[in-house]
Amino acid sequence: MIRINCPYCGERDHSEFSYGGDATINYPSLDASEKEWTEAIFFRKNIKGFQFETWHHSNGCRMWLVVERSTVTHEIKSVKPCHPDLQKVVENNK
Amino acid sequence: MRTRRLDNYGKINRNIILSFRWDKKNYKGFEGDTLASALLANNIGIVGRSFKYHRPRGIFSSGVEESGALVTIGSKDRKDPNVRATTQELYNGLEASGQNAFPNVNFDLAGINNYLGRFFAAGFYYKTFMGIPPFEWGRGTAIWMFFEKFIRKAAGMGSASELPDPDTYEHAHDFCDLIVVGSGPAGVAAAIEAAEKKLDVILVEQDSLVGGDQLAENNFDNSQIKNQLENLGIKIMTRTTAFGLYDNCVVGLLERVTDHISAPNVNIPRQRFWTIRAKHIIVGAGAIERHIAFNNNDIPGVMTVNASKHYLNRYGVLTGKRIAIATNNDSVYETAQQLSEAGANVTVLDSRTNFEIETNKSFEIRKGYVPYNINGSKKIHSLDVSKSEDMNKSETINCDQVLLSGGWSPAVHLLSHRGVKPKWDYNNACFLPSDTKENITMVGSSRGLWNKNDCIASGIAGTTDALNRLGISKTNYFFPKPGGWKNPIQPLYEVKYKKSRSKSFVDYQHDVTTDDVRLAHREGFNSVEHLKRYTTLGMANDQGKMGNIIGLSLMAELLNKEIPEVGTTVFRPPYTPVSIGALSGRNVGKHFRPLRVTPMHQWNIDHGAKMIEVGLYQRPWYYPKENETLSDSYIREASTVRKTVGICDITSLGKIAIQGPDSTEFLNRIYSNGFSKLQVGKARYGIMLRDDGIVMDDGTSWRLAENEYFMTTSTGEAAKVMSWLEELLQTRWTDLNVNVTSVSEQWAGVSVAGPKSREVLNNCVDDSLVITNNNLPFMGVTSTFLKGNIPCRIARISFSGELAFEVYVKSDFANTMMDLLWENTKKYDGCLYGLEALGALRVEKGHVTAAELDGRVTIDDAGLSKMASTKKSYIGSAMRKRGVLKNNDREILVGFFPTNLKETFNAGTIVCEKNNIKGQGIGRITSVTYSPELGHWIGLGFVKGGLDKWKDTNLVGADPVRNKQMNLKVVSPHMIDPKGERMYA
Ligand SMILES: [Zn+2]
């Protein structure tokens, strides 16, 4: 029963969002090696505690968000747009 | 048992008499009765038969912990099994019946199971399933198969209605600062304190009245408390159970809106399923009195002590005439005195020898005595008792009722839902709630407080705790210490019967006896969780509210351990059963999921379309003429398209507007084939891969202008592709200046296909010059107008393999477009065609769809290697080359013909080598159709090694589901016009 405070829409029920994945991955360039891509796609940490993950406000503003969530308690520490320019807009409007 | 309704007792409304039926006979009760109190008042002692042994069972309690009086309410489509008679409010015309008995609870033929107990001991089901012979003359699963239907029938609870549920249910949501569960002294004190401190409070009570256990007090005034709570603005929700606690202070509630009303307003839901989001939760859920295990402790007439107090003071029913009370604690004495004042002859057997209690001496107290056997079968004749210190000193007490109190178990269930393990308290012989970091506070007797004043103090302390945690106050507080009886409780869980094998019940509802627990131990099921599963202790719908601790204590004794070392089973939601109807709410029937229709949906239906669901979409399936079947119709439609022309609604395809200076670069990265050189006014078929190199989707993108594209996706993957494009632009390629917008709803699309399609369009467009072969070559795109000044987009794209056009107009013009196209299509003897014909046309051409692109297939598997650019990198380009995707034995797309062209086959058929018909074979068939062009059945599918390996081999199609086999040969997937001469015409 997570609620996510979308920077654009406000606090909304998790059913409006779709889970993305690990937000800390730096995807390699398209011409990177198979090995680099394998690391990026298949290897994941199994974090107990807070982790950064992407969520898509798919039934809302369609923004992709970085959510800092505890895998133990579901507590959410922070929510930011993934896109750095949108992050700046949100910061400036605070 | 002799029960009586007393004139001067109870809070029932004697002015309103209610008629009800029990097991097909008429009875009367009063407003304010539960079904249980009304049955008791009518002196009905046997209300059900037990689960395994079919022993007569009576009413054990007055609340949710009831494990005997499970009855069926209503009939036909409103039949509701396993309802606790103790919580079912009586209403006029209520119809109820006993369960688990034939012909009725008083005379049950299966009562013979009582004497076959050995076969029904713990683990019976497991042993039969696992093949250990439970009977000497048979063994294992075969015998289980034979007996299953009898056993299922005999050893079940009530049966559910198989008719559709006529009632409606609702989902509702609410928010508050504080939710208080339970309206006993503690909960009420907490709610009042919080409301006075300006918190927004919801108070939840499972009973119809607020008051909690005070409702069993003879001078309790419920309305006064209710008024006080209402005046403070507290939202009171009665007949509402908090069945579960979830993350982030979410409480699940079940509100029984009309279950107590004889003829409910059809416009109100029967039940509401609430999701409450609170900032803090206070649980004052009370405590549950336990019974004691001893021989025949289930004979009708056995009840908890507290229940008899409820029946006396709330319902005015004296549950026995000569009452024996067996206890190990102080809580029973007030009840004993009140029962005796009400006219019963009461004897208290207290297992303790040294204790002081003040009473009015109206009843006998026998210190140091325990019960060990009840005499009687359908009712109690007498009770065998002995000295607790010397079991040889026994005697028999004549009585018609035995009341039990083996101590109290705080209702820690809700806290347990949050994974908080309770801790054992030796002084009070019970589990107490542990502390939690979450905003949940336990108050009252659910934290082991037995005195009303302590409960009230704990309620106020609980709210102070909440205020502190919410940062509203910083006040010191303390909770009263657990306990509160004058004399300590003496643990007493079981009294062993010395004579013979006994039936001492631990869990009444599942007929789990003390011997079953010992059997589980002998067979090595020592952990609590194993004990639970092996014996089914605590797995009935009361979830072991009364019996779990007794089972635990027995296991502790067998293992020579203390109870806390043995552990406790974890309670999981729901606290009491929640109907499936409430869980599904309004999401039933047509409301189960959203329905999507195209803007020409009604037009299609008006023109004879039979519809089919594709994902959420309703799409035209086929357009039968007169008596045509599906197959007559689609064969005619597909032939017509190949011969002249047909039109087909393709609006359900996903449509995405891609705009911005980096659009071309973006498409070039997401498609496996090149897009950098696509000219304005041209479209291109493209394939998208996933990061891992597997095909995600295919579609077309049309270059409308330098920086503007119109992308189409498959119907099924439209939402996924849109999210994917947004993800890439917002997370990975944040430097690209591209905007994507879903325009699926904004454009209505039609495919006009067939040799006469250009002629049809010529009549429909304003300027027929724009669609000549020169001006609109294959894969050409134009923005122009249909007659009537309707702006449209036309692309020369073919899925059918014929000369074909896709025409899109704004959705508002969909019907006008259809009328125009249809009028002109008819001139060429053309037809409307649906998804089935579309499927036939594309299978003939070997075009893949979702049936083939199922998330396991690579671009090479699909025979589309040419679509993978070698001149650029794109999503999936690195990973599609990894070893497992390049193995020689990958399944490759091929076409299939039956060897005997008269034969048919089906999608799902497994392709095998002739002498090796087993397992997964060497391939599979994904799509099958009758080919009007070829005059026989054809298929698309995959086979290991592809066409080159198998083209001259006779293979076998195995269809075990339909018990069918046929000989197949592998052909090229491009089964007609492989060079595409028709498309370019
Ligand atoms: Zn949003």
Side-chain angles (χ1 to χ4, degrees), chain A residues 7-8 63 81 83-94:
Chain A
Y8 194 73
M63 202 188 270
H83 198 293
D85 296 348
L86 292 173
Q87 263 180 41
K88 270 180 223 146
V89 172
V90 168
E91 282 301 313
N92 292 340
N93 284 336
K94 259 184 189 168

Side-chain angles (χ1 to χ4, degrees), chain A residues 4-10 12 16-17 56-65:
Chain A
I4 296 174
N5 194 3
C6 174
Y8 194 73
C9 311
R12 299 299 177 91
E16 287 187 10
F17 297 82
H56 187 207
H57 199 182
S58 45
N59 290 317
C61 64
R62 306 285 303 178
M63 202 188 270
W64 277 87
L65 305 169

Side-chain angles (χ1 to χ4, degrees), chain B residues 808-962:
Chain B
Y808 286 91
V809 296
K810 289 178 184 168
S811 292
D812 288 348
F813 294 115
N815 290 346
T816 316
M817 170 175 67
M818 291 306 281
D819 284 338
L820 185 62
L821 288 170
W822 181 223
E823 194 190 308
N824 288 291
T825 300
K826 281 189 286 190
K827 289 180 190 160
Y828 295 90
D829 295 322
C831 72
L832 293 161
Y833 68 102
L835 199 61
E836 199 68 25
L838 189 70
L841 294 165
R842 69 98 188 168
V843 172
E844 286 180 329
K845 283 294 293 177
H847 287 161
V848 289
T849 60
E852 286 74 37
L853 303 178
D854 63 357
R856 295 180 289 176
V857 169
T858 69
I859 204 164
D860 304 299
D861 297 344
L864 297 165
S865 308
K866 273 189 260 167
M867 299 286 295
S869 171
T870 51
K871 297 187 188 106
K872 61 160 191 177
S873 299
Y874 48 92
I875 290 276
S877 61
M879 293 303 276
R880 66 174 277 266
K881 293 179 190 127
R882 63 198 156 113
V884 288
L885 302 186
K886 287 286 174 188
N887 284 345
N888 290 333
D889 68 343
R890 298 276 313 167
E891 293 182 350
I892 310 292
L893 186 80
V894 292
F896 291 99
F897 285 178
T899 310
N900 172 358
L901 292 177
K902 292 205 173 81
E903 270 193 294
T904 70
F905 53 110
N906 293 84
T909 296
I910 301 163
V911 181
C912 299
E913 287 178 89
K914 210 150 198 176
N915 300 317
N916 198 12
I917 302 167
K918 65 177 187 191
Q920 298 181 355
I922 54 162
R924 59 206 161 89
I925 294 176
T926 49
S927 303
V928 167
T929 185
Y930 178 81
S931 165
E933 184 82 3
L934 297 170
H936 60 81
W937 286 79
I938 57 172
L940 270 184
F942 293 86
V943 64
K944 280 181 183 171
L947 178 64
D948 290 346
K949 188 162 179 192
W950 302 103
K951 66 182 158 199
D952 301 317
T953 316
N954 264 325
L955 297 176
V956 173
D959 191 350
V961 175
R962 297 174 188 85

Side-chain angles (χ1 to χ4, degrees), chain B residues 213-264:
Chain B
D213 200 45
Q214 297 168 107
L215 292 164
E217 288 173 11
N218 52 9
N219 52 1
F220 175 68
D221 183 6
N222 152 275
S223 54
Q224 197 193 327
I225 289 185
K226 193 169 172 244
N227 289 338
Q228 194 187 355
L229 292 166
E230 278 172 350
N231 290 339
L232 282 163
I234 293 164
K235 179 176 177 182
I236 306 171
M237 299 180 76
T238 52
R239 299 189 176 98
T240 304
T241 305
F243 62 79
L245 297 194
Y246 302 90
D247 301 308
N248 296 329
C249 268
V250 170
V251 188
L253 307 181
L254 181 74
E255 181 186 8
R256 291 169 298 278
V257 185
T258 65
D259 284 353
H260 63 292
I261 298 171
S262 35

Side-chain angles (χ1 to χ4, degrees), chain B residues 544-570:
Chain B
K545 290 185 177 66
M546 285 168 72
N548 267 5
I549 303 289
I550 300 173
L552 212 55
S553 77
L554 294 177
M555 188 51 83
E557 183 189 86
L558 292 162
L559 295 171
N560 227 342
K561 284 182 177 172
E562 299 288 344
I563 287 178
E565 296 176 75
V566 179
T568 177
T569 55
V570 178

